[in-house]
Amino acid sequence: MIFRSLYAKLSAVLLGLFVLVGITFVLVSFYATEMYQQEVNQKLNREIAKRIVSEKIIMESERINEKALKEIFHMLMVINPSIEIYLLDPAGNILAFSAEPGKVKRKSVALEPVQAFLEGKVAFPLLGDDPRGVDKTKVFTAARIPEEGRLEGYLYVILGGEIYDSMAQKLQTSYIAKLSTWAILSSLLVALLTGLVIFACLTRRLRRLAAAMNSYTNGMLPGQLDLPVTTWENPADEIDLLVRTFKEMSARIEEQMESLRRSDTLRRELVANISHDLRTPLATLQGYIETLLMKDSSLSAEERLNYLDIGIRHCKRLSKLVSDLFELAKLDAQDTKVHCEPFSIGELVQDIVQKFRLSAKERKVAILTNIGKELPVVSADIALIERVFENLIENALRHTSEGGTVSIVLHVDRDLLTALVSDTGHGIPESALPHIFDRFYQIDSSREGRAGHSGLGLAISKRILELHGTTIRVASTLNVGTTFTFSLPVYRTNA
């Protein structure tokens, strides 16, 4: 549980790192100190063996001058008891030594370090074999016997004998060593505490962000969260970037939640509207069919035809509603594709207007067109654009009173061809303009010409134009008329 937070984990890692560094530093310090002492010792005493050889005749006619050797042993033991002297033959075998009997373990020493020392081409400290240990090495000094002439042997002086080892052991437990160790440990402890404080400061914003995210998970709104202050445009570090990302994410989630709430409201309204629009013609159709069944023998031929005509109209209304719903569902599908191709929009409008001539004549409404003679070809899905014009013209006829006019105007503005479908009908209240493209939205179903209208035509037209990458606009004045406007791209060949 204690290592669940990032701060605890960082602190544990830092503590482990400092302990490792501290131990390494202490060991390296002791090793470096020992190497330094050996280097100093070897450099200070490098000439001892040479001076002894130059002042005393140690070998005479390949024999040991025992008197001279005893004098040397005695002198050096008095002056520097930490030094041990060994007399070697030319092959490195030990002929005599100043150490106590029984403590010398080797019979010979390797001559390579001795020769390297005599040549003077090495860096100190240079270690040679310690005759008192089979696998020990120590700093030394050496000299050739004699200095000139035929080689008779070597004087091999160990500069750190048994007494030196005991003194070095004491120095390791001395006040200075203890003081150095405590100084190192104290410095590391201060650095550790400083690091912990710095980590606490650096992770404080991260802890606040984690607490805010937890509060958000528990239902708190983004505006109520205690988030760290961050630079929005240029985040200073990764924590700033996390804060900005979380703010953007929470805002996007809230937008999506609001969109879902709106969609749910629209869905409920959609279900209610569909239920209402389906129930009314179904109930009417059922009523007339039941009347025909019950009163078939008492109804005249004219009444029977009237009932059947009413039933047919309601069947058509149901068929139109279901067809519109199916078409809108297809247009809303994610895999809906628009098959664009070049075509003459002027010819398309002329063909569509011919379909509505009879209906307009029955309503005593005039349909006028102003499409010019040399309109360019546009690039769009001809079947879908035909449906847009049909919906707009049908909507205009339904809202235009007797003696009114419905007009279709086409004109070109640079790379766009703009279409305007206008009427001189009732107009749309300003408060209703933002909602007229909503599904099943109806301003006043009691108005003349509204019966049988599903309220999906404008929604379908808007969706078709959205799939073409364009929009539809509306302008209306009450009791004056309404104009719908949209644009399509002019077709341009690659040549």
Side-chain angles (χ1 to χ4, degrees):
M1 293 293 290
I2 193 172
F3 293 110
R4 291 186 64 180
S5 67
L6 178 61
Y7 177 72
K9 292 177 182 178
L10 289 175
S11 300
V13 172
L14 183 64
L15 176 61
L17 182 62
F18 270 74
V19 169
L20 180 62
V21 171
I23 294 174
T24 304
F25 192 75
V26 170
L27 294 177
V28 170
S29 297
F30 277 118
Y31 177 77
T33 302
E34 183 180 357
M35 290 295 103
Y36 176 73
Q37 290 175 350
Q38 291 183 3
E39 180 183 1
V40 171
N41 190 14
Q42 192 169 34
K43 284 184 177 179
L44 289 176
N45 297 289
R46 63 185 300 179
E47 299 292 331
I48 287 179
K50 186 176 181 181
R51 289 177 182 176
I52 291 173
V53 171
S54 63
E55 293 180 4
K56 299 288 183 178
I57 301 175
I58 300 174
M59 299 287 291
E60 291 181 335
S61 302
E62 298 185 4
R63 297 184 64 184
I64 301 173
N65 187 341
E66 295 183 0
K67 181 180 179 181
L69 194 60
K70 288 181 179 179
E71 290 179 0
I72 293 171
F73 288 167
H74 177 73
M75 178 186 65
L76 290 178
M77 288 296 293
V78 172
I79 296 175
N80 191 349
S82 66
I83 291 177
E84 296 175 359
I85 303 175
Y86 297 88
L87 184 62
L88 309 179
D89 66 10
N93 298 314
I94 299 174
L95 302 177
F97 51 85
S98 64
E100 295 181 9
K103 296 211 175 167
V104 176
K105 308 297 182 182
R106 291 177 181 264
K107 294 183 178 181
S108 63
V109 296
L111 293 179
E112 288 80 5
V114 175
Q115 293 171 354
F117 178 86
L118 294 175
E119 292 175 0
K121 298 180 180 180
V122 294
F124 295 130
L126 176 63
L127 302 180
D129 290 342
D130 182 7
R132 297 176 68 254
V134 177
D135 54 355
K136 290 183 179 180
T137 57
K138 287 190 176 181
V139 290
F140 68 93
T141 179
R144 187 176 183 275
I145 302 173
E147 292 185 64
E148 303 291 341
R150 186 170 63 89
L151 177 66
E152 296 182 4
Y154 300 96
L155 186 64
Y156 186 69
V157 181
I158 295 294
L159 300 176
E162 184 178 10
I163 297 178
Y164 178 86
D165 290 341
S166 63
M167 292 300 295
Q169 183 66 29
K170 291 180 181 179
L171 284 173
Q172 290 180 0
T173 59
S174 68
Y175 172 77
I176 296 177
K178 291 180 179 179
L179 181 62
S180 300
T181 303
W182 280 110
I184 293 171
L185 295 178
S186 300
S187 300
L188 291 175
L189 180 60
V190 171
L192 174 63
L193 295 176
T194 304
L196 293 177
V197 173
I198 294 173
F199 278 174
C201 295
L202 291 176
T203 57
R204 181 172 58 88
R205 291 180 299 147
L206 193 59
R207 291 196 299 273
R208 285 180 60 189
L209 176 60
M213 294 175 71
N214 187 55
S215 299
Y216 181 74
T217 303
N218 293 330
M220 187 176 289
L221 296 177
Q224 300 172 333
L225 299 177
D226 180 24
L227 287 169
V229 178
T230 179
T231 304
W232 193 257
E233 290 80 9
N234 299 309
D237 53 24
E238 288 81 359
I239 298 178
D240 271 359
L241 184 61
L242 281 175
V243 173
R244 187 180 72 175
T245 303
F246 175 70
K247 287 181 178 179
E248 292 176 347
M249 180 191 68
S250 59
R252 188 159 54 249
I253 289 175
E254 288 303 308
E255 290 177 1
Q256 291 173 348
M257 291 296 294
E258 182 61 29
S259 176
L260 286 175
R261 284 190 286 268
R262 289 195 301 267
S263 297
D264 185 64
T265 301
L266 290 174
R267 180 185 60 80
R268 294 175 184 273
E269 293 177 355
L270 177 64
V271 171
N273 289 328
I274 291 176
S275 300
H276 177 269
D277 280 17
L278 289 175
R279 185 169 58 248
T280 301
L282 280 173
T284 305
L285 181 60
Q286 180 181 353
Y288 280 100
I289 292 176
E290 289 176 350
T291 302
L292 283 172
L293 291 174
M294 290 185 297
K295 300 181 179 182
D296 182 61
S297 59
S298 62
L299 292 177
S300 64
E302 184 179 353
E303 289 175 330
R304 189 179 292 108
L305 288 175
N306 184 42
Y307 284 3
L308 290 174
D309 181 62
I310 294 173
I312 286 295
R313 288 205 306 270
H314 283 290
C315 283
K316 290 181 177 178
R317 179 182 176 186
L318 283 172
S319 177
K320 179 69 165 57
L321 177 60
V322 172
S323 177
D324 286 349
L325 284 171
F326 181 69
E327 182 175 6
L328 193 55
K330 285 199 305 181
L331 293 172
D332 284 339
Q334 297 294 328
D335 56 351
T336 300
K337 295 182 180 179
V338 176
H339 302 284
C340 293
E341 58 180 318
F343 65 91
S344 172
I345 194 170
E347 295 179 3
L348 176 65
V349 170
Q350 293 285 13
D351 293 340
I352 295 172
V353 168
Q354 292 302 320
K355 294 180 183 179
F356 289 94
R357 290 290 185 191
L358 181 58
S359 175
K361 186 176 181 180
E362 292 175 354
R363 293 173 178 268
K364 298 182 180 181
V365 174
I367 299 182
L368 304 178
T369 58
N370 182 5
I371 59 178
K373 294 182 179 179
E374 297 181 356
L375 285 177
V377 173
V378 297
S379 177
D381 189 313
I382 186 170
L384 294 179
I385 297 303
E386 180 179 6
R387 183 60 193 274
V388 171
F389 277 111
E390 288 176 350
N391 288 344
L392 294 179
I393 295 173
E394 182 182 3
N395 186 69
L397 289 173
R398 187 166 51 249
H399 292 86
T400 303
S401 302
E402 184 178 325
T405 302
V406 173
S407 59
I408 300 97
V409 179
L410 302 177
H411 66 84
V412 179
D413 183 11
R414 298 182 181 178
D415 292 335
L416 293 177
L417 187 145
T418 302
L420 297 90
V421 180
S422 306
D423 63 63
T424 58
H426 309 296
I428 304 172
E430 186 176 353
S431 60
L433 286 176
H435 307 288
I436 61 170
F437 295 105
D438 295 343
R439 300 170 189 191
F440 293 101
Y441 181 78
Q442 297 182 10
I443 301 172
D444 184 1
S445 59
S446 64
R447 285 183 178 176
E448 182 183 358
R450 297 289 291 179
H453 174 45
S454 66
L456 293 174
L458 292 179
I460 291 173
S461 299
K462 179 184 177 184
R463 180 59 183 155
I464 289 174
L465 292 173
E466 286 176 348
L467 291 174
H468 282 80
T470 185
T471 58
I472 185 170
R473 302 177 296 279
V474 60
S476 183
T477 304
L478 284 176
N479 301 318
V480 175
T482 304
T483 299
F484 290 91
T485 307
F486 65 91
S487 299
L488 293 172
V490 174
Y491 177 74
R492 302 293 184 188
T493 59
N494 294 330

